[in-house]
PDB file of all heavy atoms in Angstrom:
ATOM      1  N   PHE A  78     105.993 103.368  85.212  1.00 98.00           N
ATOM      2  CA  PHE A  78     104.964 104.181  85.903  1.00 98.00           C
ATOM      3  C   PHE A  78     105.391 105.625  85.764  1.00 98.00           C
ATOM      4  O   PHE A  78     106.402 106.028  86.322  1.00 98.00           O
ATOM      5  CB  PHE A  78     104.914 103.735  87.404  1.00 98.00           C
ATOM      6  CG  PHE A  78     103.787 104.285  88.166  1.00 98.00           C
ATOM      7  CD1 PHE A  78     102.502 104.450  87.652  1.00 98.00           C
ATOM      8  CD2 PHE A  78     103.942 104.591  89.551  1.00 98.00           C
ATOM      9  CE1 PHE A  78     101.454 104.938  88.423  1.00 98.00           C
ATOM     10  CE2 PHE A  78     102.898 105.094  90.295  1.00 98.00           C
ATOM     11  CZ  PHE A  78     101.666 105.258  89.731  1.00 98.00           C
ATOM     12  N   SER A  79     104.603 106.445  85.066  1.00 98.00           N
ATOM     13  CA  SER A  79     104.997 107.795  84.803  1.00 98.00           C
ATOM     14  C   SER A  79     104.140 108.796  85.592  1.00 98.00           C
ATOM     15  O   SER A  79     102.962 108.485  85.890  1.00 98.00           O
ATOM     16  CB  SER A  79     104.913 108.117  83.328  1.00 98.00           C
ATOM     17  OG  SER A  79     103.589 107.991  82.865  1.00 98.00           O
ATOM     18  N   LEU A  80     104.701 109.947  85.899  1.00 98.00           N
ATOM     19  CA  LEU A  80     103.975 111.022  86.642  1.00 98.00           C
ATOM     20  C   LEU A  80     104.000 112.228  85.719  1.00 98.00           C
ATOM     21  O   LEU A  80     105.035 112.680  85.275  1.00 98.00           O
ATOM     22  CB  LEU A  80     104.769 111.294  87.971  1.00 98.00           C
ATOM     23  CG  LEU A  80     104.205 112.441  88.797  1.00 98.00           C
ATOM     24  CD1 LEU A  80     102.872 111.999  89.462  1.00 98.00           C
ATOM     25  CD2 LEU A  80     105.196 112.831  89.888  1.00 98.00           C
ATOM     26  N   ARG A  81     102.832 112.823  85.565  1.00 98.00           N
ATOM     27  CA  ARG A  81     102.716 113.990  84.692  1.00 98.00           C
ATOM     28  C   ARG A  81     102.191 115.220  85.463  1.00 98.00           C
ATOM     29  O   ARG A  81     101.283 115.116  86.223  1.00 98.00           O
ATOM     30  CB  ARG A  81     101.795 113.686  83.536  1.00 98.00           C
ATOM     31  CG  ARG A  81     101.661 114.868  82.533  1.00 98.00           C
ATOM     32  CD  ARG A  81     101.145 114.466  81.215  1.00 98.00           C
ATOM     33  NE  ARG A  81     100.996 115.577  80.313  1.00 98.00           N
ATOM     34  CZ  ARG A  81     101.981 116.065  79.566  1.00 98.00           C
ATOM     35  NH1 ARG A  81     103.199 115.526  79.599  1.00 98.00           N
ATOM     36  NH2 ARG A  81     101.772 117.083  78.729  1.00 98.00           N
ATOM     37  N   LEU A  82     102.902 116.326  85.191  1.00 97.00           N
ATOM     38  CA  LEU A  82     102.473 117.618  85.694  1.00 97.00           C
ATOM     39  C   LEU A  82     101.895 118.343  84.481  1.00 97.00           C
ATOM     40  O   LEU A  82     102.638 118.648  83.567  1.00 97.00           O
ATOM     41  CB  LEU A  82     103.631 118.444  86.277  1.00 97.00           C
ATOM     42  CG  LEU A  82     104.191 118.016  87.644  1.00 97.00           C
ATOM     43  CD1 LEU A  82     104.937 116.678  87.569  1.00 97.00           C
ATOM     44  CD2 LEU A  82     105.106 119.106  88.185  1.00 97.00           C
ATOM     45  N   GLU A  83     100.606 118.604  84.492  1.00 93.00           N
ATOM     46  CA  GLU A  83      99.948 119.201  83.329  1.00 93.00           C
ATOM     47  C   GLU A  83     100.247 120.719  83.201  1.00 93.00           C
ATOM     48  O   GLU A  83     100.515 121.214  82.118  1.00 93.00           O
ATOM     49  CB  GLU A  83      98.435 118.993  83.408  1.00 93.00           C
ATOM     50  CG  GLU A  83      98.015 117.560  83.197  1.00 93.00           C
ATOM     51  CD  GLU A  83      98.245 117.061  81.700  1.00 93.00           C
ATOM     52  OE1 GLU A  83      98.594 117.890  80.816  1.00 93.00           O
ATOM     53  OE2 GLU A  83      98.122 115.851  81.499  1.00 93.00           O
ATOM     54  N   SER A  84     100.272 121.415  84.318  1.00 96.00           N
ATOM     55  CA  SER A  84     100.531 122.806  84.337  1.00 96.00           C
ATOM     56  C   SER A  84     101.299 123.128  85.605  1.00 96.00           C
ATOM     57  O   SER A  84     100.704 123.335  86.668  1.00 96.00           O
ATOM     58  CB  SER A  84      99.226 123.633  84.316  1.00 96.00           C
ATOM     59  OG  SER A  84      99.485 125.010  84.377  1.00 96.00           O
ATOM     60  N   ALA A  85     102.601 123.112  85.472  1.00 96.00           N
ATOM     61  CA  ALA A  85     103.471 123.174  86.636  1.00 96.00           C
ATOM     62  C   ALA A  85     103.308 124.496  87.392  1.00 96.00           C
ATOM     63  O   ALA A  85     103.166 125.538  86.811  1.00 96.00           O
ATOM     64  CB  ALA A  85     104.969 123.038  86.249  1.00 96.00           C
ATOM     65  N   ALA A  86     103.374 124.339  88.779  1.00 97.00           N
ATOM     66  CA  ALA A  86     103.268 125.512  89.663  1.00 97.00           C
ATOM     67  C   ALA A  86     104.526 125.506  90.558  1.00 97.00           C
ATOM     68  O   ALA A  86     105.047 124.452  90.863  1.00 97.00           O
ATOM     69  CB  ALA A  86     102.014 125.405  90.504  1.00 97.00           C
ATOM     70  N   PRO A  87     104.888 126.675  91.044  1.00 97.00           N
ATOM     71  CA  PRO A  87     106.109 126.757  91.944  1.00 97.00           C
ATOM     72  C   PRO A  87     105.943 125.844  93.170  1.00 97.00           C
ATOM     73  O   PRO A  87     106.966 125.363  93.657  1.00 97.00           O
ATOM     74  CB  PRO A  87     106.128 128.242  92.312  1.00 97.00           C
ATOM     75  CG  PRO A  87     105.520 128.956  91.168  1.00 97.00           C
ATOM     76  CD  PRO A  87     104.419 128.043  90.664  1.00 97.00           C
ATOM     77  N   SER A  88     104.708 125.589  93.621  1.00 96.00           N
ATOM     78  CA  SER A  88     104.532 124.715  94.807  1.00 96.00           C
ATOM     79  C   SER A  88     104.856 123.288  94.513  1.00 96.00           C
ATOM     80  O   SER A  88     104.958 122.444  95.428  1.00 96.00           O
ATOM     81  CB  SER A  88     103.079 124.815  95.276  1.00 96.00           C
ATOM     82  OG  SER A  88     102.176 124.380  94.222  1.00 96.00           O
ATOM     83  N   GLN A  89     105.062 122.969  93.242  1.00 97.00           N
ATOM     84  CA  GLN A  89     105.459 121.623  92.875  1.00 97.00           C
ATOM     85  C   GLN A  89     106.958 121.422  92.786  1.00 97.00           C
ATOM     86  O   GLN A  89     107.436 120.356  92.368  1.00 97.00           O
ATOM     87  CB  GLN A  89     104.785 121.182  91.569  1.00 97.00           C
ATOM     88  CG  GLN A  89     103.250 121.096  91.687  1.00 97.00           C
ATOM     89  CD  GLN A  89     102.569 120.772  90.405  1.00 97.00           C
ATOM     90  OE1 GLN A  89     102.745 121.482  89.397  1.00 97.00           O
ATOM     91  NE2 GLN A  89     101.779 119.674  90.389  1.00 97.00           N
ATOM     92  N   THR A  90     107.692 122.446  93.086  1.00 97.00           N
ATOM     93  CA  THR A  90     109.147 122.327  93.235  1.00 97.00           C
ATOM     94  C   THR A  90     109.445 121.353  94.349  1.00 97.00           C
ATOM     95  O   THR A  90     109.002 121.548  95.475  1.00 97.00           O
ATOM     96  CB  THR A  90     109.796 123.720  93.525  1.00 97.00           C
ATOM     97  OG1 THR A  90     109.618 124.511  92.422  1.00 97.00           O
ATOM     98  CG2 THR A  90     111.274 123.536  93.848  1.00 97.00           C
ATOM     99  N   SER A  91     110.176 120.280  94.000  1.00 97.00           N
ATOM    100  CA  SER A  91     110.380 119.252  94.979  1.00 97.00           C
ATOM    101  C   SER A  91     111.387 118.204  94.418  1.00 97.00           C
ATOM    102  O   SER A  91     111.812 118.316  93.285  1.00 97.00           O
ATOM    103  CB  SER A  91     109.038 118.528  95.301  1.00 97.00           C
ATOM    104  OG  SER A  91     109.168 117.638  96.370  1.00 97.00           O
ATOM    105  N   VAL A  92     111.663 117.236  95.255  1.00 98.00           N
ATOM    106  CA  VAL A  92     112.375 116.054  94.772  1.00 98.00           C
ATOM    107  C   VAL A  92     111.350 114.921  94.686  1.00 98.00           C
ATOM    108  O   VAL A  92     110.651 114.647  95.648  1.00 98.00           O
ATOM    109  CB  VAL A  92     113.537 115.656  95.684  1.00 98.00           C
ATOM    110  CG1 VAL A  92     114.254 114.441  95.121  1.00 98.00           C
ATOM    111  CG2 VAL A  92     114.501 116.807  95.866  1.00 98.00           C
ATOM    112  N   TYR A  93     111.262 114.309  93.495  1.00 98.00           N
ATOM    113  CA  TYR A  93     110.277 113.283  93.283  1.00 98.00           C
ATOM    114  C   TYR A  93     110.969 111.912  93.246  1.00 98.00           C
ATOM    115  O   TYR A  93     111.952 111.715  92.584  1.00 98.00           O
ATOM    116  CB  TYR A  93     109.532 113.526  91.944  1.00 98.00           C
ATOM    117  CG  TYR A  93     108.649 114.747  92.031  1.00 98.00           C
ATOM    118  CD1 TYR A  93     109.152 116.021  91.788  1.00 98.00           C
ATOM    119  CD2 TYR A  93     107.265 114.646  92.382  1.00 98.00           C
ATOM    120  CE1 TYR A  93     108.331 117.127  91.853  1.00 98.00           C
ATOM    121  CE2 TYR A  93     106.485 115.763  92.446  1.00 98.00           C
ATOM    122  CZ  TYR A  93     107.030 116.968  92.203  1.00 98.00           C
ATOM    123  OH  TYR A  93     106.206 118.091  92.307  1.00 98.00           O
ATOM    124  N   PHE A  94     110.397 111.020  94.037  1.00 98.00           N
ATOM    125  CA  PHE A  94     110.900 109.640  94.072  1.00 98.00           C
ATOM    126  C   PHE A  94     109.876 108.644  93.580  1.00 98.00           C
ATOM    127  O   PHE A  94     108.690 108.743  93.954  1.00 98.00           O
ATOM    128  CB  PHE A  94     111.271 109.235  95.526  1.00 98.00           C
ATOM    129  CG  PHE A  94     112.548 109.949  95.999  1.00 98.00           C
ATOM    130  CD1 PHE A  94     112.477 111.031  96.774  1.00 98.00           C
ATOM    131  CD2 PHE A  94     113.804 109.443  95.632  1.00 98.00           C
ATOM    132  CE1 PHE A  94     113.636 111.689  97.211  1.00 98.00           C
ATOM    133  CE2 PHE A  94     114.980 110.044  96.029  1.00 98.00           C
ATOM    134  CZ  PHE A  94     114.889 111.162  96.857  1.00 98.00           C
ATOM    135  N   CYS A  95     110.308 107.729  92.756  1.00 98.00           N
ATOM    136  CA  CYS A  95     109.537 106.609  92.361  1.00 98.00           C
ATOM    137  C   CYS A  95     109.986 105.394  93.184  1.00 98.00           C
ATOM    138  O   CYS A  95     111.207 105.291  93.508  1.00 98.00           O
ATOM    139  CB  CYS A  95     109.764 106.331  90.876  1.00 98.00           C
ATOM    140  SG  CYS A  95     108.903 104.888  90.215  1.00 98.00           S
ATOM    141  N   ALA A  96     109.093 104.526  93.516  1.00 97.00           N
ATOM    142  CA  ALA A  96     109.430 103.315  94.293  1.00 97.00           C
ATOM    143  C   ALA A  96     108.653 102.130  93.723  1.00 97.00           C
ATOM    144  O   ALA A  96     107.611 102.313  93.082  1.00 97.00           O
ATOM    145  CB  ALA A  96     109.158 103.510  95.793  1.00 97.00           C
ATOM    146  N   SER A  97     109.134 100.954  94.055  1.00 96.00           N
ATOM    147  CA  SER A  97     108.381  99.745  93.661  1.00 96.00           C
ATOM    148  C   SER A  97     108.497  98.731  94.790  1.00 96.00           C
ATOM    149  O   SER A  97     109.397  98.773  95.615  1.00 96.00           O
ATOM    150  CB  SER A  97     108.919  99.155  92.360  1.00 96.00           C
ATOM    151  OG  SER A  97     110.216  98.614  92.540  1.00 96.00           O
TER     152      SER A  97
END
Side-chain angles (χ1 to χ4, degrees):
Chain A
F78 189 38
S79 64
L80 178 72
R81 183 161 178 85
L82 288 69
E83 289 291 350
S84 178
S88 61
Q89 294 177 305
T90 293
S91 188
V92 182
Y93 290 86
F94 287 99
C95 177
S97 70

